[in-house]
Amino acid sequence: MIPEPPPKVITRLRDGRIHAYVVGTGVYGTLEAAAVFQPRDGEEVVASVVRQDLERVVYTTLNGVVCLTRAGDLMWALDFEPHSDVRHGHRPGCALSLDGRTVWVYRPDAMAGRRSGDQWVVHDADSGVVLARRELETVGHGAFHHVHPVDGSIYLDIGEGQDGSVILRGTVGADSEPEFVTYPWQDRCLIDLAPSGRQFMTVDHEQADVAFHDHPNGDVLFTLPVEAFGYDPEESFVEWSGGYLTEDTAIVALGGESQDEEEWFRHHLVDVRTGTLSGEFTVEASNPYELVPLGDGSWLTGGPGADPVRWSSAPQPSAPPHPAAPTSPYERQQL
């Protein structure tokens, strides 16, 4: 039995302010911001994360990392030295640890022109003090953090553009030095962790297949190439999107171009217990990256007012009209 996780807190940047949304049990339809944070004057936010109690926000800019209270008081701030005048091609990222005690910051220093490689830095969440620093050999444009829901380790997926993608994992104990592991791939993009954290999903950087891996060693459980979904690999590809709809079901997006050169994409369900397909998942979305599975049978899409919208296949009294019903008996059973 998987214990029910605490409500997720997600952020969206709107009109220069950071909006925090609580995705809790029974909350469906268009989400309303539970808290709004105003960055310091003149700062352009690149990435942000809000603490579970909604009392603090951490955000990165092109040249630093900042922690503010909900009232706007400065807790701490650190500049990335030296200052970079490069405006494009590098996007620092941040994440809070599962226990909220540390802040993990990815610094794409190479593309910013600061040094020959990037850095992954662990800060004390209360003071900003640097607890650990990992010198990286990557030259990344940006990265995505994924926090393991059980053991608290942090996955980092660094995108190096045409050079591929590097996946690392960091662990830190209460009284121990952080440890870092780099997985032996340069060609896989980390998409999502299972709700239990027992496995994770990657997509080939060249978009030829999707794979599912054991946590934490990364051993491949099974791989599905484009042709397994019934498409021509010369004309179709796996999108770098999707994720775990539930513990046993993942969503994989495939795309391509029609003969009229119109782009298309479709979402498919995969039974991760057996490695088999479970039908197409029909959802109204403007692009393959709009749908964000939440692991509990629900998912997010964008809303007309920029607020996220939460959907579920199960009837919800507060939910807006459902985009489209699942197309297979397996979907109805699983969701």
Side-chain angles (χ1 to χ4, degrees), residues 291-328:
L291 182 149
V292 180
L294 297 176
D296 60 359
S298 68
W299 62 94
L300 298 177
T301 62
D307 290 316
V309 180
R310 187 183 183 194
W311 306 88
S312 173
S313 61
Q316 302 294 334
S318 60
H322 194 275
T327 58
S328 75

Side-chain angles (χ1 to χ4, degrees), residues 11-330:
T11 63
R12 297 290 187 270
L13 187 64
R14 294 181 56 189
D15 302 322
R17 298 190 297 171
I18 300 166
H19 292 236
Y21 304 86
V22 177
V23 185
T25 303
V27 179
Y28 294 91
T30 301
L31 303 182
E32 296 183 1
V36 178
F37 296 84
Q38 178 66 55
R40 295 189 300 178
D41 290 345
E43 291 186 330
E44 297 181 17
V45 175
V46 173
S48 62
V49 61
V50 169
R51 205 168 67 177
Q52 192 73 32
D53 62 4
L54 304 177
E55 290 302 320
R56 291 187 192 176
V57 64
V58 176
Y59 64 85
T60 55
T61 68
L62 293 181
N63 278 290
V65 55
V66 180
C67 179
L68 302 178
T69 68
R70 187 168 179 174
D73 298 324
L74 177 65
M75 292 298 299
W76 53 270
L78 293 170
D79 294 331
F80 302 154
E81 297 291 350
H83 180 90
S84 173
D85 292 323
V86 179
R87 293 290 302 167
H88 305 288
H90 62 108
R91 298 182 61 81
C94 58
L96 273 168
S97 62
L98 189 63
D99 60 10
R101 297 173 58 180
T102 55
V103 174
W104 298 62
V105 177
Y106 166 70
R107 296 178 44 169
D109 286 344
M111 291 299 298
R114 294 190 179 95
R115 53 196 295 128
S116 60
D118 301 333
Q119 296 185 68
W120 198 15
V121 186
V122 185
H123 300 266
D124 181 276
D126 290 327
S127 66
V129 169
V130 174
L131 303 176
R133 187 186 307 270
R134 175 73 169 187
E135 304 285 346
L136 306 174
E137 297 180 358
T138 56
V139 180
H141 295 277
F144 293 99
H145 289 87
H146 300 261
V147 181
H148 192 277
V150 178
D151 66 25
S153 58
I154 313 286
Y155 280 83
L156 183 69
D157 176 37
I158 301 172
E160 295 189 287
Q162 294 181 348
D163 292 331
S165 181
V166 176
I167 301 174
L168 301 93
R169 184 171 59 87
T171 61
V172 59
D175 301 309
S176 61
E177 290 290 325
E179 296 180 358
F180 300 90
V181 174
T182 301
Y183 289 92
W185 318 304
Q186 297 285 331
D187 59 352
R188 304 215 64 83
C189 303
L190 179 60
I191 304 300
D192 198 12
L193 305 183
S196 67
R198 296 172 184 168
Q199 61 172 253
F200 57 92
M201 169 182 166
T202 69
V203 168
D204 170 48
H205 186 263
E206 299 297 327
Q207 301 181 273
D209 61 55
V210 59
F212 295 85
H213 307 254
D214 184 56
H215 166 84
N217 55 43
D219 291 346
V220 176
L221 302 172
F222 65 93
T223 301
L224 293 173
V226 169
E227 50 265 40
F229 295 87
Y231 300 107
D232 185 345
E234 298 297 324
E235 300 177 355
S236 309
F237 49 85
V238 182
E239 298 279 6
W240 299 307
S241 63
Y244 289 86
L245 182 62
T246 67
E247 178 67 19
D248 299 326
T249 307
I251 296 177
V252 178
L254 286 96
E257 286 189 358
S258 67
Q259 293 182 349
D260 298 330
E261 296 185 350
E262 292 185 3
E263 295 184 355
W264 60 267
F265 64 91
R266 297 188 183 96
H267 293 95
H268 292 263
L269 294 179
V270 173
D271 185 333
V272 298
R273 297 166 300 183
T274 61
T276 57
L277 304 186
S278 302
E280 191 171 331
F281 190 55
T282 306
V283 175
E284 290 184 3
S286 60
N287 63 74
Y289 297 90
E290 182 182 345
L291 182 149
V292 180
L294 297 176
D296 60 359
S298 68
W299 62 94
L300 298 177
T301 62
D307 290 316
V309 180
R310 187 183 183 194
W311 306 88
S312 173
S313 61
Q316 302 294 334
S318 60
H322 194 275
T327 58
S328 75
Y330 179 81

